[in-house]
Amino acid sequence: MATIYDVARLAGVSAATVSRVLNGHVKVDPTLAERVMAAVSQLGYRRNAVARNLRTSRTSLWAVIISDVQNPFFTSMVRGIEDVASSAGYSVVLCNSDENPDKESSYIAAALSEQMAGVVISPSSNQVDDVNLLLEAGCPVVVIDRELDNVTADTVLVDNEHGAELATTHLVEQGNTRIACITGPQWLSSATQRFDGYARALSKAGQSVDETLVRYADFREQGGYDAMASLLDDGPAPDAVFATNNLMTIGAMECLVQRGLSVPDDVAIVGFDSIPWADLIRPTLTTVAQPTYEVGRRAAQLLTKRAESPDAEPERVVLPTSLQVRASSTR
Amino acid sequence: MATIYDVARLAGVSAATVSRVLNGHVKVDPTLAERVMAAVSQLGYRRNAVARNLRTSRTSLWAVIISDVQNPFFTSMVRGIEDVASSAGYSVVLCNSDENPDKESSYIAAALSEQMAGVVISPSSNQVDDVNLLLEAGCPVVVIDRELDNVTADTVLVDNEHGAELATTHLVEQGNTRIACITGPQWLSSATQRFDGYARALSKAGQSVDETLVRYADFREQGGYDAMASLLDDGPAPDAVFATNNLMTIGAMECLVQRGLSVPDDVAIVGFDSIPWADLIRPTLTTVAQPTYEVGRRAAQLLTKRAESPDAEPERVVLPTSLQVRASSTR
DNA sequence: TTGTAGGCGTTATCAC
DNA sequence: GTGATAACGCCTACAA
């Protein structure tokens, strides 16, 4: 592998000049620059980023640590990040923590020891101490989708409580009186906030939360399925269900379909998060839509801002959600 | 940020000893080792991977460059890679080339200059010269899902032609006589092989390929939609469609549904690749299933083998596909 | 404008 | 078994 010294020798200049040509921004005699470029292409020289990173103690890589690559919500958000990153000269690498604190921890360690230029993370719980390691190391961090209790960092969220309230109110207005809630882990703010919205809507409607109609699942398809099954098997069935993320909504639907129950006639259903090809599913699904691309874009923008002014006050961006009424909830 | 020298000073040993303790595998006095570990945790020392990479010219990162993070086929495959990687001591970072040769090129460059320990790639075309750059640099590479013309590297594929033939034969057996094919870009082997399987099945059935029933799209949802629309608008409609990937199948279905055509009565449909929550879609979709997790797992295994024996003959693994008959194709 | 030289943090090669 | 020391490839004062 050729180094700048090889290039320098071939071009008849010093290594410093090669470096200057390669990095631009410093005046170099055009003739020399041309000789350097010729030598570069003749040798097929490629800069060794590792050495450069060591010297400058920064890379041009952003790590995006997401909790589930199989969830379309996150992959769609990634597009928003990538677009900002590439126009700011960064490359994005995705790390899949799989909702597993150990994997998450090891990816944070990697981001740290590889000196990543920035990290966007959807944490696996509301208490991820490792994020403070990044902050202490001066690595710009933006937290997305879920809030951290013990960390003050730039954060991009959606209006979970409001979205959930809209969804639940809609179910109330359709005449449902036994509205169940399949929510996510209690250690995730996205789950608790959505549950709070559900509770608030019920309360406003003069209904109270019936704990026998609440299930805590894991934001995955199977979890939604199992929760729905449990709702049907234990005690009198609900007449409606609010599921707090896309995959659990799918799981719940699958359970209902498999039991031969009719949606929305036997059980109405509303989900949180969009669902790909929702219009092919029968009945079509009423959901609370999130601006996924925008979440990614804003997160990336905050990351670039943070890199420029490390000591600025952290920002907390909350984006709006909206209820998309379709067939699964209307009688 | 503490360095190995800080640790050494605090522990009263040399930097070399600290390094030895940290890396294990070399005999160190237990007393010293303990002092070192104490100093490490006291200082919160974390190894600087960049410096280490420079010195050893290797990282513990694998880059997985996939052509579409939004395609469930790839994300599911990633799980297979991750599982092997973590048990072999590697971390996996995902790069989304988005079927874009420029992005792909820049990720390959990053993998190269960041000295990644290995690369798994689903190339954006059958002619990605940059892959040779990796090979020449001695970086282990495994190509997945798509074959490269100009590169000899370990490759993991599925039996595209056979799967496509099964699918098409099934449509023939259901009595269809105007079977259309929505296939992918002609520069992707997965598309051409699947088209070949389609053609072979027709030929065996005594039907010939009618070019007016063939559309070349882009393996995306919108592409499938547009292709289906074009099939319906230009000339007499087909009585069946074989779509050569999951997203295009979805797109074609959406078009049919929107036109008010009945599947399978007006137009039968079979897709290639599994589709998430396929059983919620009405009618349920007949598809050619691929062992996605296994594709990832085998690719990762080849990568570790390649790292151990760089000069071994490249392997070409072809995994079987199977036809899953559901409602969308049976009359 | 260009060249010289030192150092980023680590590991590997020596002596001891 | 342990400690100096050099080197990995690059960038950047500093000097010229």
Side-chain angles (χ1 to χ4, degrees):
Chain A
M1 215 54 194
T3 74
I4 49 171
Y5 281 92
D6 300 320
V7 175
R9 199 173 313 122
L10 185 58
V13 298
S14 75
T17 300
V18 176
S19 176
R20 286 191 269 256
V21 171
L22 261 35
N23 292 308
H25 303 302
V26 181
K27 271 198 173 177
V28 176
D29 186 299
T31 322
L32 292 191
E34 203 164 325
R35 291 220 310 264
V36 168
M37 293 316 291
V40 163
S41 66
Q42 187 179 333
L43 292 172
Y45 167 81
R46 311 184 72 85
R47 158 201 288 145
N48 181 328
V50 177
R52 169 179 235 237
N53 299 344
L54 177 59
R55 187 53 236 243
T56 62
S57 61
R58 319 179 330 159
T59 65
S60 60
L61 249 41
W62 280 353
V64 176
I65 304 176
I66 57 181
S67 44
D68 187 0
V69 275
Q70 307 226 43
N71 187 329
F73 167 72
F74 291 112
T75 52
S76 151
M77 192 208 62
V78 165
R79 299 287 293 268
I81 298 178
E82 281 172 345
D83 288 350
V84 175
S86 70
S87 68
Y90 295 99
S91 293
V92 172
V93 299
L94 260 59
C95 311
N96 177 31
S97 76
D98 221 9
E99 306 279 7
N100 177 339
D102 291 335
K103 286 193 189 183
E104 176 178 54
S105 196
S106 97
Y107 279 120
I108 290 177
L112 212 44
S113 64
E114 299 284 348
Q115 316 253 55
M116 299 277 192
V119 171
V120 176
I121 183 171
S122 68
S124 68
S125 83
N126 58 359
Q127 205 90 32
V128 177
D129 297 331
D130 291 342
V131 172
N132 275 320
L133 261 33
L134 291 167
L135 258 20
E136 286 158 16
C139 175
V141 175
V142 176
V143 177
I144 51 165
D145 188 52
R146 302 154 178 201
E147 222 150 355
L148 286 173
D149 288 345
N150 56 333
V151 173
T152 312
D154 294 301
T155 308
V156 180
L157 304 166
V158 299
D159 192 350
N160 289 307
E161 188 167 342
H162 180 66
E165 190 179 343
L166 285 179
T168 311
T169 301
H170 167 69
L171 286 172
V172 169
E173 286 169 356
Q174 295 292 312
N176 298 294
T177 54
R178 292 182 51 74
I179 303 174
C181 181
I182 300 177
T183 186
Q186 289 172 282
W187 53 84
L188 292 183
S189 69
S190 50
T192 54
Q193 289 170 355
R194 290 170 198 173
F195 176 78
D196 290 346
Y198 158 81
R200 187 145 61 118
L202 287 189
S203 148
K204 281 191 182 170
Q207 301 185 18
S208 59
V209 173
D210 176 352
E211 280 296 338
T212 66
L213 290 178
V214 176
R215 294 292 180 282
Y216 296 89
D218 59 359
F219 273 162
R220 298 188 199 235
E221 198 171 325
Q222 186 65 45
Y225 184 100
D226 295 343
M228 190 71 242
S230 150
L231 282 167
L232 295 173
D233 293 339
D234 306 346
D239 54 9
V241 179
F242 168 53
T244 63
N245 92 332
N246 49 3
L247 298 182
M248 294 196 307
T249 309
I250 292 290
M253 272 284 283
E254 277 169 338
C255 180
L256 291 170
V257 166
Q258 210 163 77
R259 299 285 181 107
L261 291 169
S262 159
V263 177
D265 294 334
D266 295 326
V267 181
I269 186 164
V270 174
F272 206 108
D273 286 359
S274 301
I275 286 154
W277 42 96
D279 42 353
L280 287 184
I281 292 173
R282 288 292 174 273
T284 55
L285 280 166
T286 296
T287 57
V288 179
Q290 305 188 51
T292 48
Y293 179 87
E294 186 66 10
V295 169
R297 210 176 61 85
R298 294 298 289 275
Q301 287 173 341
L302 286 181
L303 204 54
T304 54
K305 270 179 72 176
R306 176 63 43 194
E308 287 161 12
S309 41
D311 298 321
E313 197 65 20
E315 285 185 48
R316 183 173 179 275
V317 173
V318 179
L319 299 175
T321 55
S322 64
L323 182 68
Q324 312 281 321
V325 178
R326 300 197 186 82
S328 69
S329 62
T330 49
R331 292 242 158 74
Chain B
M1 214 55 194
T3 74
I4 208 168
Y5 277 93
D6 300 321
V7 176
R9 198 174 314 123
L10 185 59
V13 298
S14 74
T17 300
V18 176
S19 176
R20 286 191 270 257
V21 171
L22 261 35
N23 292 307
H25 302 302
V26 181
K27 271 199 171 174
V28 177
D29 186 299
T31 323
L32 292 192
E34 203 164 325
R35 291 218 310 266
V36 167
M37 293 316 290
V40 163
S41 66
Q42 187 179 332
L43 293 172
Y45 167 80
R46 311 183 73 86
R47 161 198 288 145
N48 181 327
V50 177
R52 169 178 234 233
N53 298 345
L54 176 60
R55 185 56 234 236
T56 63
S57 62
R58 316 177 324 163
T59 66
S60 60
L61 249 41
W62 280 353
V64 175
I65 303 174
I66 58 182
S67 43
D68 185 1
V69 274
Q70 308 226 43
N71 187 329
F73 166 73
F74 291 112
T75 52
S76 152
M77 191 207 63
V78 165
R79 299 288 290 270
I81 298 179
E82 281 171 345
D83 289 350
V84 175
S86 70
S87 69
Y90 294 98
S91 294
V92 172
V93 299
L94 260 59
C95 311
N96 177 30
S97 76
D98 221 9
E99 306 278 9
N100 177 339
D102 291 336
K103 286 193 187 181
E104 176 177 56
S105 197
S106 97
Y107 279 120
I108 291 177
L112 211 45
S113 63
E114 298 285 347
Q115 315 252 56
M116 299 277 191
V119 171
V120 176
I121 183 170
S122 68
S124 69
S125 83
N126 59 359
Q127 204 90 32
V128 177
D129 296 330
D130 291 343
V131 172
N132 275 320
L133 260 34
L134 291 167
L135 258 20
E136 286 159 16
C139 175
V141 176
V142 176
V143 176
I144 51 166
D145 187 53
R146 302 155 178 199
E147 222 151 355
L148 285 173
D149 289 344
N150 56 333
V151 174
T152 312
D154 294 302
T155 308
V156 181
L157 304 166
V158 299
D159 193 350
N160 289 307
E161 188 167 343
H162 180 65
E165 190 179 342
L166 285 178
T168 311
T169 301
H170 168 68
L171 286 173
V172 169
E173 286 168 357
Q174 294 293 312
N176 298 294
T177 54
R178 292 181 52 75
I179 303 173
C181 180
I182 300 177
T183 187
Q186 288 171 284
W187 53 85
L188 292 182
S189 70
S190 48
T192 54
Q193 289 170 354
R194 290 169 197 174
F195 176 77
D196 290 347
Y198 158 81
R200 187 146 60 119
L202 287 188
S203 146
K204 280 190 182 169
Q207 302 185 17
S208 59
V209 173
D210 177 352
E211 281 296 338
T212 66
L213 291 177
V214 176
R215 293 292 180 283
Y216 296 89
D218 59 359
F219 273 162
R220 299 187 198 235
E221 200 171 324
Q222 185 64 46
Y225 184 99
D226 294 343
M228 190 71 243
S230 150
L231 282 167
L232 295 174
D233 292 339
D234 305 346
D239 54 9
V241 178
F242 168 53
T244 62
N245 93 331
N246 48 5
L247 299 182
M248 295 196 306
T249 309
I250 292 291
M253 272 283 283
E254 277 169 337
C255 180
L256 291 170
V257 167
Q258 212 164 76
R259 299 284 181 110
L261 290 169
S262 159
V263 177
D265 294 334
D266 294 328
V267 180
I269 187 164
V270 175
F272 206 108
D273 285 0
S274 300
I275 286 155
W277 41 95
D279 41 353
L280 288 184
I281 292 173
R282 288 292 174 272
T284 56
L285 279 166
T286 297
T287 57
V288 179
Q290 305 188 52
T292 48
Y293 179 88
E294 186 66 10
V295 169
R297 210 177 60 84
R298 294 297 290 274
Q301 287 174 340
L302 286 181
L303 204 54
T304 55
K305 270 180 71 177
R306 176 64 44 194
E308 286 161 11
S309 40
D311 298 322
E313 196 66 18
E315 285 185 48
R316 184 173 180 274
V317 173
V318 179
L319 299 175
T321 55
S322 64
L323 183 67
Q324 313 279 321
V325 177
R326 299 196 187 84
S328 69
S329 62
T330 49
R331 292 242 157 74

